[in-house]
Amino acid sequence: ATTRIAVAIATATLLLLLHIATLSLAFQPVSPLRPPAPRSVSPLLQRITTVGMSAGAPKAVETKDAPAPVGPYNQAVLVGNTLYVSGQVALDPKSGEMVGSGDVEAETRQVLKNLDAVLKEAGATADNVVRTTVFLADLADFAKVNALYAEYFDGPVSPARACVQVAALPKGARVEIDCIAAL
């Protein structure tokens, strides 16, 4: 009988200790010297969350003043207040032929003209562009392309940008530029 009582007391003590441990984990006391940090959300995260939640369905943006897509994509897609413009090469929108005959400056002018047409169709300008990617067939063309790029994006805030050399571009192009704009 003594053994049974000892086992019962030990079991009860163990259960009581487990219960106390569980309660102490669930109700952590707050130190009066170090109150918990407030759980606030940055204004940027609030805007991203709000835009993401109220963005609605993606909408295709199309204009006859820029080349028609040569594949299963759109000239641009508008989601909420964000415009994603597909990469543009130096195709003439009317003839569908490449412009410039290999002259990277002539190609860059046409690329920027095509980007501008798509931006305008969505109600945007170069000043709305927040990010670009420049693809070059030859990085040696960087200075020439950069000079024309700087003329086009001459607003108070230049877009963030990546510029990379690629093995090849569609239609034998020497430059392609895509962008993201905030409307």
Side-chain angles (χ1 to χ4, degrees), residues 112-113 115-117 119 125-126 129 147-155:
L112 293 171
K113 186 176 174 182
L115 276 177
D116 195 61
L119 289 167
T125 68
V129 176
L148 294 167
Y149 178 98
E151 286 177 18
Y152 181 73
F153 293 108
D154 64 351

Side-chain angles (χ1 to χ4, degrees), residues 53-169:
M53 293 174 77
S54 64
K59 296 174 188 155
V61 175
E62 295 179 21
T63 177
K64 63 180 176 32
D65 296 325
V70 294
Y73 62 92
N74 291 289
Q75 289 170 329
V77 175
L78 180 64
V79 181
N81 294 336
T82 305
L83 181 69
Y84 301 88
V85 181
S86 295
Q88 296 292 315
V89 294
L91 286 172
D92 178 273
K94 304 222 183 318
S95 69
E97 298 297 319
M98 285 296 291
V99 171
S101 301
D103 176 3
V104 75
E105 290 171 315
E107 282 193 30
T108 302
R109 283 186 194 91
Q110 184 65 47
V111 167
L112 293 171
K113 186 176 174 182
N114 293 343
L115 276 177
D116 195 61
V118 178
L119 289 167
K120 282 183 182 172
E121 183 66 25
T125 68
D127 289 342
N128 295 100
V129 176
V130 295
R131 175 78 163 93
T132 65
T133 308
V134 179
F135 303 93
L136 297 174
D138 186 350
L139 213 47
D141 292 330
F142 178 80
K144 292 176 183 176
V145 172
N146 198 51
L148 294 167
Y149 178 98
E151 286 177 18
Y152 181 73
F153 293 108
D154 64 351
V157 178
S158 297
R161 175 178 79 180
C163 181
V164 295
Q165 179 175 319
V166 295
L169 290 167

Side-chain angles (χ1 to χ4, degrees), residues 13-63:
T13 304
L14 202 74
L15 288 172
L16 181 61
L17 288 174
L18 283 173
H19 184 68
I20 291 170
T22 303
L23 286 176
S24 70
L25 287 175
F27 301 103
Q28 289 289 326
V30 176
S31 167
L33 299 176
R34 183 181 282 162
R39 298 189 66 104
S40 64
V41 178
S42 75
L44 177 61
L45 185 56
Q46 284 176 338
R47 183 170 188 276
I48 290 170
T49 304
T50 303
V51 167
M53 293 174 77
S54 64
K59 296 174 188 155
V61 175
E62 295 179 21
T63 177

